[in-house]
């Protein structure tokens, strides 16, 4: 007799909106109360969308990083992805490229799901089955994922870039927002910058040193468009909503 056919695994329930909010999502779907933070994030989103129009064939991949840990890059990546998914018609994939303890995968309770590590170790995979739906209709998540048996414990930056390139090609109507490790901590963000349409460099306005920002931006120079987002800015009532602008914007030939 042939071996019994294993029934397909039940579909994973979507990541709850409450889990997204607990992880730091402020840009919740339309109809919720607006705040200064929401307005500032909306301005940042508009700047990113304008950058996507000018970045050529790579314009759907947005890399979010920082110079050092603790500058708020994961908060920004989550909220950029959430706000674009809530306000637009295109689907957005939030990709956890960091995977450290306390990453967005941990915060959403999906760190043990199969994710980017598996994609990086499987050249034939395209990645769509690994995406996790959330309760925000157009927002999906690709977790970093548990270690893969027989593969390198930590994928190289080149492997990660190749995996995300395959994923982007298989999802031509999706925007990919990458939450990457700090650029002065590992080489991953540098390897990924060559396939991204733009880099959003999150800077803690109160503690990050200028030389650190300059060194981090130098590592991202393969990307056609670099942008700074100042986080934790102390502002007066007369100031504008936020500080966000281009740093030596480079457009693809």
């Amino acid at each position: 007799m042939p071996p019994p056919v294993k029934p397909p695994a039940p579909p994973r329930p979507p990541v709850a909106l409450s889990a997204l909010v607990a992880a730091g999502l402020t840009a919740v779907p339309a109809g919720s109360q607006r705040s200064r933070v929401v307005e500032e994030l909306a301005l940042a989103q508009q700047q990113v969308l304008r950058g996507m129009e000018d970045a050529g064939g790579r314009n759907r991949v947005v890399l979010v990083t920082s110079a050092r840990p603790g500058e708020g890059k994961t908060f920004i990546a989550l909220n950029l992805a959430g706000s674009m998914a809530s306000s637009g018609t295109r689907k957005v994939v939030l990709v956890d490229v960091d995977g450290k303890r306390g990453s967005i995968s941990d915060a959403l309770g999906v760190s043990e799901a199969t994710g980017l590590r598996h994609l990086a170790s499987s050249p034939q995979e395209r990645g769509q089955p690994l995406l996790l739906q959330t309760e925000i209709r157009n927002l999906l998540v690709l977790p970093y994922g548990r270690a893969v048996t027989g593969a390198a414990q930590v994928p190289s930056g080149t492997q990660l870039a190749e995996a995300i390139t395959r994923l982007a090609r298989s999802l031509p109507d999706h925007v990919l927002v990458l939450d990457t490790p700090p650029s002065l901590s590992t080489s991953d963000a540098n390897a990924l910058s060559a396939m991204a349409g733009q880099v959003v460099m999150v800077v803690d306005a109160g503690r990050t040193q200028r030389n650190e920002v300059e060194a981090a931006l130098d590592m991202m120079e393969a990307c056609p468009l670099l942008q700074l987002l100042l986080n934790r800015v102390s502002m007066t009532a007369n100031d504008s909503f936020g500080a966000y602008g281009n740093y030596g914007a480079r457009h693809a030939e």
Side-chain angles (χ1 to χ4, degrees):
M1 293 180 62
V5 177
K6 291 181 64 177
R12 188 183 182 100
V15 177
L17 179 59
S18 58
L20 293 164
V21 171
L25 181 68
T26 301
V28 292
S32 301
Q33 184 176 2
R34 300 175 73 103
S35 66
R36 182 179 183 128
V37 173
V38 170
E39 297 292 350
E40 290 171 348
L41 288 166
L43 292 177
Q45 176 196 340
Q46 292 163 15
Q47 186 78 1
V48 168
L49 291 174
R50 282 194 292 270
M52 287 172 58
E53 294 173 359
D54 301 330
R58 306 186 290 187
N59 66 348
R60 295 180 299 107
V61 181
V62 180
L63 188 157
V64 182
T65 189
S66 59
R68 299 291 187 188
E71 299 196 61
K73 67 175 181 61
T74 297
F75 171 82
I76 296 299
L78 172 62
N79 279 280
L80 279 178
S83 61
M84 283 193 284
S86 297
S87 61
T89 58
R90 298 173 75 176
K91 289 186 178 295
V92 180
V93 182
L94 175 60
V95 183
D96 181 5
V97 192
D98 200 338
K100 69 180 186 315
R101 187 180 299 277
S103 69
I104 192 62
S105 296
D106 276 352
L108 296 178
V110 295
S111 57
E112 289 303 309
T114 304
L116 182 59
R117 274 186 175 183
H118 174 78
L119 186 60
S121 65
S122 306
Q124 303 308 312
E125 286 272 5
R126 292 297 178 265
Q128 301 99 314
L130 306 178
L131 302 181
L132 304 179
Q133 181 62 57
T134 74
E135 288 187 345
I136 296 178
R137 184 169 61 89
N138 286 333
L139 179 62
L140 303 110
V141 174
L142 178 64
Y144 187 70
R146 58 180 181 269
V148 179
T149 303
Q153 184 70 13
V154 179
S156 68
T158 300
Q159 288 175 308
L160 294 171
E162 290 173 350
I164 294 169
T165 298
R166 294 198 308 273
L167 178 65
R169 287 174 178 167
S170 70
L171 299 169
D173 298 321
H174 292 55
V175 175
L176 275 60
V177 177
L178 314 182
D179 178 19
T180 71
S183 56
L184 298 184
S185 298
T186 76
S187 62
D188 291 350
N190 174 257
L192 290 162
S193 67
M195 50 79 61
Q198 63 181 298
V199 168
V200 176
M201 179 71 66
V202 180
V203 178
D204 187 328
R207 69 180 180 91
T208 308
Q209 300 300 308
R210 177 171 181 160
N211 65 320
E212 293 177 322
V213 176
E214 290 175 344
L217 288 168
D218 285 345
M219 293 186 68
M220 301 291 105
E221 64 181 359
C223 183
L225 179 60
L226 306 178
Q227 308 208 63
L228 290 180
L229 192 155
L230 297 183
N231 194 26
R232 305 187 180 111
V233 181
S234 297
M235 308 184 72
T236 68
N238 293 327
D239 288 324
S240 60
F241 281 120
Y244 194 103
N246 295 349
Y247 177 95
R250 305 177 181 90
H251 298 281
E253 297 292 338

